[in-house]
Amino acid sequence: MASRIQIPATKYPVERFTLANGLRVVLSPDRSAPVVGVAVVYDVGIRSEPEGRTGFAHLFEHLMFQGSENLEKLAHFRHVQGAGGSFNGSTHLDYTDYFEVLPAGALERALFLEADRMRGPRLTEENLRNQVDVVKEEIRVNVLNRPYGGFPWLKLPPVMFKTFPNAHDGYGSFEDLESATVEDAQGFFDRYYACGNAVLSVAGDFDVAEATALIERHFGDVPARPAPVLPAFDEPGLDGERRESYTDRIAPLPAVAAGYRVPDPIGAFDAYLPFSVLAEVLTDGDASRLVERLVQRDRTVTNIGGYLGFMGDEYQVRNPTALLLQAHMPPGGDAGKVLRTVDEELDRLVADGLKPGELERTQARMAARLLQGTDEVLGRALPMAVLELQRGRPGLLNELPKLISEVTAEQIVTAAATLRPESRAVVEVLPGAGS
Amino acid sequence: MVTKTLPDLIPDTELTLPPQAERKLANGLTVIAIRRAAVPLVEVRLRIPFGRAPLAPATLLSQALFTGTGTMSMLDIAAELQAVGGSLAAGLDPDRLQISGNALADGLSRTLEILAGVLTGAAYPGEEVVTERERLVDNIQVALSQPSHLARVALLKRMYATHPYAVQTPAPQDVRAVEPEALRELHADRVRPGGAILVLVGDIDPEQAIDVAEKTLGGWTGEARDGDIPPTPALQTGPLLLVDRPGSVQSSLRIALPALTRTDPDYAALTLGNLVFGGYFSSRWVENIREDKGYTYGSHSVVEHFAAGSALLAAADVATEVTGPSLLETTYELGRIASLPPGEEELEQARRYALGTLRLGMSTQAGLAGLASVYAGFGLRLDHLREHSAALAAATREQVAEVAARHLAPSRAVTVVLGDADKIEAQLTALTAVERSAQ
């Protein structure tokens, strides 16, 4: 075995400031490639949707691309792509992001486009009806027409949680989507899309002084609006195992997912971080504990994965959240047996601790994945924006490899000891295909 | 309301290619090493010619390659790679076996040692192979329940008929029949350095990285059996092929059109014509069937290149009740791009997109590695980026119109629709001749 490898870190610079109107800004210059990434994140996500408006945060994300004060419908797409760039947006439990990656000479254009929709999107009946149709097709292609659609991110929360913000379907019901109105959209914008509730982040090839001037020019006159008070979404943990199953009419094979509550990702970061390493010790690659046991030795699962946060965004999620294990099984697979083996392996980890080299190699692989992520300009702009929004700490992105390498075997064992059958929620997929 | 004007773009700087080196080793392996030092990682891509390899054994070989050698178990291989932050995996396409992965830059030498051990000593141990075989069968079963996979299977069959590209996923029963010995024979026959290309990109000194590759992979020897694939046949048009998937809540619309190879003098013009039609979000097709009519979440068209030929493939998943109208609008947009030159501004927008995304693609280690490896598979090097960029910059509206007339005309299309046939057949029959697929 090779001697222990040094865990490298990144040193991306981080500049932070706040405009007079309350917009927070993070800049991370890097001249190594002539491209820039621009991200704007708003502190509103699926958990903030009103009851009776499931899927609204995501529907609203679509509406933000449908024109704004100075831009016709379709103009946003054409201006970004016509500058040689790409764009997208996504809706998460705790935030909604909008982003572009472009050749460096298009930075000002991207800032203009983002500022214009921060001042006000064109919320029209025609655009709303069009995007309700588009979102319904998105749900059909990703959930209804596809085996294992929405598993487990839409299927496990209602088993795990009891309150509406945490338990409801973030893609939304067709009924709720169809009954959404322009007034709802305007109200949602007024409440949550305040510049005081947003972070702008730019990473890549630019000069800090010039970029700062451009940001002042384009965002400086966005009217000041403060952030709404963020509710606490916490709810009590499980007081016994919760287990449900459903039949997926087009899935050919069984599957199972289990979620375990973990410490507050922000308020208790030191206690949370070991769970992130634990998930990898359990499931990262053929040498990990659960893959080795369940896939290779027992052959009771075809594959198994483990991660934090329902959307895999482990450092961009607020409390409450979970460590998830998900597995697909061969024909006739027995979810109960799989879970019992997981319990056995967790018990073994708690009793015997980690094997020599096991923690170090897991940490090395985690560092490599973090580095690969930050090699992209958006792999810096986006997480830095969210880390600023949720923690006021965008530089945490640089510190993660080191912090992960400092997690100890004792912390892993302590974390593993909390993953008990009585503290988990389980959802099973019963294959309906061919029946 | 104050009207604000769109800021101008600052013109791109000249395209600069990263420092690189190349050497053909004595064993026939070509090594290309490229320096991009932004993060302390190295990306690894190895392409081994694998055309005409028997499909079921080749697919299983790609899944079982890392299950053990004479001296290392599957667990050893995985753990030792992980120890240097590394990971390697193999995949198969109709032309080649590809091994991809990355590691911390300091782990390059160890990663290549482990790779060499697998290339020269993969053992295909019986128990592990059986496990991988069952997993592969399960994965194929899941793929066969996915509309996108089923639609592609039907389209490939319709496009390529008896050509080797017609079937790219093995049948479960064929996989079940593969014994470990067949993998050992196939490996001995085909996993050879002759004609293979290794690309390394990252925080490395290119010459030194090649030295490391030469030292660690020099013992991998042997000539591969010739696996050349005959040129792909011209597309045969005919009735729309309707594939029944009862209970589908969407229809998967798939269209194949003739295309050009990367080095064809008209390829840049075809690239631009494709973008204007359906190749990016700001295309006519997306603006029509998504942003105007709300028939789909997304549609996309792309030129797919294989060693033996290229094809243009267009795909959209649309609501069942508007399957016919979606085909109508698609045919209309193909007819429009094939009959009229694109607008000036429309062409400039597509051109800037094409040029810009080339730059974005080279701005990461993984992007550069993918691009260099794909290019190398077609006998090209990164400097082809300069030539292709120049061709994109020079293509005129007339050239785009001319090439679109030849390649994007709806009369050239081969069309497959997968969906709930009883609900969509009448809609489609109203527009074109339809033939139901034999199940």
Side-chain angles (χ1 to χ4, degrees):
Chain A
M1 177 77 80
S3 62
R4 185 177 175 179
I5 201 156
Q6 198 68 32
I7 301 285
T10 52
K11 289 184 186 143
Y12 294 109
V14 179
E15 303 271 346
R16 303 166 65 205
F17 57 90
T18 303
L19 297 187
N21 58 15
L23 177 67
R24 284 161 284 171
V25 180
V26 179
L27 302 179
S28 184
D30 161 35
R31 317 302 296 247
S32 70
V35 300
V36 286
V38 176
V40 178
V41 295
Y42 295 90
D43 201 340
V44 59
I46 289 164
R47 287 203 246 232
S48 293
E49 291 169 348
E51 295 205 33
R53 283 285 167 268
T54 58
F56 198 83
H58 171 243
L59 174 62
F60 192 84
E61 175 217 310
H62 279 243
L63 295 178
M64 284 290 280
F65 289 94
Q66 295 289 308
S68 49
E69 270 192 16
N70 297 283
L71 294 162
E72 298 290 331
K73 179 180 164 91
L74 304 177
H76 183 93
F77 310 123
R78 290 174 177 173
H79 290 319
V80 173
Q81 295 196 310
S86 299
F87 62 84
N88 215 332
S90 62
T91 308
H92 297 245
L93 296 178
D94 295 308
Y95 66 97
T96 308
D97 60 31
Y98 301 86
F99 51 89
E100 295 86 39
V101 55
L102 318 99
L107 172 59
E108 186 176 5
R109 178 171 291 193
L111 296 173
F112 170 86
L113 295 172
E114 289 299 348
D116 210 57
R117 62 179 166 183
M118 189 180 284
R119 277 189 293 269
R122 291 195 186 192
L123 303 172
T124 68
E125 184 65 23
E126 188 184 356
N127 286 344
L128 175 61
R129 299 276 74 89
N130 170 245
Q131 291 304 309
V132 167
D133 285 346
V134 169
V135 166
K136 283 164 64 182
E137 291 314 301
E138 180 177 353
I139 295 169
R140 286 189 173 117
V141 79
N142 286 338
V143 181
L144 303 174
N145 210 37
R146 161 186 297 189
Y148 312 103
F151 172 76
W153 77 279
L154 295 177
K155 304 298 186 183
L156 190 54
V159 186
M160 181 149 208
F161 296 111
K162 290 196 163 149
T163 62
F164 175 82
N166 296 319
H168 76 272
D169 179 344
Y171 248 149
S173 71
F174 280 16
E175 193 184 11
D176 282 359
L177 290 167
E178 282 162 359
S179 64
T181 67
V182 170
E183 290 69 38
D184 293 332
Q186 190 61 53
F188 198 76
F189 179 80
D190 291 343
R191 180 166 172 76
Y192 293 112
Y193 278 68
C195 57
N197 205 35
V199 170
L200 163 69
S201 162
V202 184
D205 185 14
F206 60 86
D207 174 85
V208 170
E210 286 170 24
T212 303
L214 292 176
I215 288 164
E216 285 281 2
R217 183 184 310 159
H218 291 286
F219 287 89
D221 67 353
V222 176
R225 287 196 288 134
V229 175
L230 185 76
F233 295 118
D234 202 11
E235 59 176 278
L238 282 66
D239 48 13
E241 188 179 32
R242 288 183 209 153
R243 240 162 127 152
E244 284 182 19
S245 65
Y246 68 98
T247 300
D248 181 331
R249 68 179 178 86
I250 47 180
L253 298 171
V256 62
Y260 304 82
R261 288 279 294 273
V262 291
D264 181 345
I266 297 172
F269 187 60
D270 289 350
Y272 176 82
L273 195 60
F275 284 86
S276 166
V277 184
L278 171 62
E280 305 294 330
V281 166
L282 294 175
T283 63
D284 177 37
D286 290 333
S288 65
R289 291 199 171 217
L290 295 182
V291 174
E292 201 265 326
R293 171 76 194 270
L294 290 160
V295 178
Q296 302 301 333
R297 193 145 31 113
D298 295 358
R299 300 183 191 170
T300 47
V301 306
T302 305
N303 56 60
I304 185 162
Y307 52 96
L308 298 185
F310 290 88
M311 303 175 86
D313 43 5
E314 57 187 341
Y315 308 117
Q316 281 112 33
V317 68
R318 289 197 176 104
N319 196 45
T321 189
L323 183 151
L324 270 67
L325 296 173
Q326 72 178 96
H328 290 257
M329 290 175 275
D334 178 349
K337 189 173 173 190
V338 169
L339 293 169
R340 283 194 297 279
T341 314
V342 167
D343 293 335
E344 207 177 294
E345 286 302 315
L346 287 166
D347 288 344
R348 194 190 310 277
L349 176 57
V350 172
D352 303 345
L354 289 149
K355 290 175 271 188
E358 187 178 9
L359 178 57
E360 291 80 0
R361 60 181 163 82
T362 302
Q363 289 162 325
R365 185 62 198 152
M366 289 178 79
R369 277 208 304 270
L370 282 166
L371 291 168
Q372 197 187 29
T374 57
D375 191 25
E376 296 178 56
V377 281
L378 282 176
R380 305 191 290 275
L382 270 168
M384 280 187 186
V386 181
L387 292 171
E388 169 65 41
L389 187 80
Q390 297 182 343
R391 301 164 188 257
R393 223 182 137 188
L396 182 61
L397 189 65
N398 281 323
E399 298 162 31
L400 279 171
K402 181 165 179 287
L403 293 174
I404 284 167
S405 75
E406 288 168 356
V407 169
T408 65
E410 291 69 36
Q411 287 176 300
I412 301 289
V413 167
T414 305
T418 68
L419 306 188
R420 306 304 313 157
E422 58 272 20
S423 66
R424 75 179 161 215
V426 174
V427 65
E428 284 180 58
V429 182
L430 308 176
S435 62
Chain B
M1 189 196 325
V2 185
T3 303
K4 297 178 183 270
T5 51
L6 189 72
D8 289 335
L9 300 173
I10 299 168
D12 289 338
T13 48
E14 202 176 323
L15 191 70
T16 50
L17 298 178
Q20 54 186 308
E22 175 172 342
R23 197 181 305 163
K24 187 163 181 175
L25 309 185
N27 61 5
L29 173 70
T30 298
V31 186
I32 298 171
I34 303 170
R35 177 171 174 78
R36 174 171 158 76
V39 287
L41 284 185
V42 59
E43 294 284 336
V44 178
R45 302 286 183 278
L46 174 63
R47 296 165 91 88
I48 301 169
F50 235 60
R52 309 206 83 154
L55 184 61
T59 308
L60 183 55
L61 181 146
S62 71
Q63 184 145 333
L65 185 61
F66 293 95
T67 52
T69 67
T71 56
M72 292 174 90
S73 68
M74 181 175 195
L75 194 74
D76 295 337
I77 293 170
E80 297 217 11
L81 280 171
Q82 211 182 18
V84 294
S87 164
L88 293 172
L92 184 78
D93 72 23
D95 298 320
R96 60 190 64 84
L97 179 69
Q98 169 153 291
I99 298 167
S100 306
N102 63 12
L104 295 171
D106 288 347
L108 172 63
S109 170
R110 185 70 190 126
T111 301
L112 293 181
E113 275 171 28
I114 295 165
L115 176 61
V118 166
L119 292 169
T120 60
Y124 302 101
E127 287 221 4
E128 284 80 350
V129 168
V130 169
T131 302
E132 293 307 319
R133 191 169 70 195
E134 288 169 13
R135 292 176 74 195
L136 178 58
V137 168
D138 289 347
N139 289 337
I140 293 171
Q141 301 283 18
V142 171
L144 291 173
S145 66
Q146 285 168 342
S148 57
H149 179 81
L150 292 170
R152 182 170 171 86
V153 165
L155 183 68
L156 289 172
K157 189 87 191 149
R158 176 71 185 74
M159 290 168 69
Y160 295 118
T162 59
H163 187 272
Y165 288 168
V167 180
Q168 300 184 4
T169 310
Q173 65 270 25
D174 294 344
V175 173
R176 282 195 193 100
V178 178
E179 295 299 329
E181 188 51 32
L183 302 189
R184 290 177 206 125
E185 283 169 18
L186 181 61
H187 188 108
D189 224 25
R190 297 297 302 266
V191 183
R192 294 294 174 200
I197 302 160
L198 174 68
V199 171
L200 304 171
V201 178
D203 188 3
I204 52 173
D205 174 289
E207 288 292 347
Q208 280 175 16
I210 294 178
D211 290 344
V212 171
E214 184 151 37
K215 188 165 150 261
T216 49
L217 290 164
W220 179 35
T221 55
E223 277 305 308
R225 214 158 41 83
D226 180 16
D228 277 357
I229 296 180
T232 53
L235 295 177
Q236 300 294 316
T237 55
L240 178 152
L241 186 70
L242 173 59
V243 186
D244 191 19
R245 183 171 177 263
S248 282
V249 296
Q250 273 183 325
S251 301
S252 304
L253 174 61
R254 300 290 185 272
I255 295 172
L257 291 155
L260 296 166
T261 62
R262 290 178 187 279
T263 50
D264 190 287
D266 288 334
Y267 179 60
L270 178 64
T271 302
L272 294 169
N274 176 56
L275 286 176
V276 171
F277 159 67
Y280 70 147
F281 199 92
S282 301
S283 67
R284 296 171 176 184
W285 196 26
V286 177
E287 291 189 355
N288 182 338
I289 68 170
R290 173 178 153 132
E291 291 297 304
D292 185 47
K293 302 196 177 66
Y295 291 167
T296 183
Y297 176 54
S299 63
H300 191 64
S301 62
V302 65
V303 180
E304 190 172 271
H305 299 283
F306 287 121
S310 304
L312 198 151
L313 302 179
D317 292 275
V318 302
T320 298
E321 60 272 22
V322 293
T323 305
S326 297
L327 178 64
L328 173 70
E329 296 303 328
T330 304
T331 307
Y332 165 74
E333 294 297 355
L334 286 170
R336 196 154 71 98
I337 188 74
S339 318
L340 294 163
E344 271 180 43
E345 180 48 37
E346 190 176 35
L347 179 60
E348 288 317 304
Q349 181 185 291
R351 193 193 311 279
R352 284 193 300 263
Y353 178 75
L355 291 167
T357 47
L358 285 178
R359 284 170 182 257
L360 299 182
M362 0 168 0
S363 68
T364 62
Q365 292 176 351
L368 260 178
L371 193 63
S373 175
V374 166
Y375 274 7
F378 293 92
L380 302 169
R381 295 297 181 262
L382 272 190
D383 58 8
H384 180 67
L385 274 170
R386 278 212 187 90
E387 294 154 30
H388 185 49
S389 296
L392 286 168
T396 64
R397 290 174 67 207
E398 291 68 32
Q399 285 169 331
V400 171
E402 192 275 327
V403 77
R406 275 191 285 134
H407 293 86
L408 290 163
S411 62
R412 311 291 300 270
V414 167
T415 307
V416 170
V417 178
L418 172 105
D420 193 326
D422 290 341
K423 291 190 181 145
I424 61 179
E425 185 165 19
Q427 297 180 46
L428 296 168
T429 308
L431 298 170
T432 186
V434 173
E435 180 184 293
R436 275 221 199 191
S437 161
Q439 288 295 319

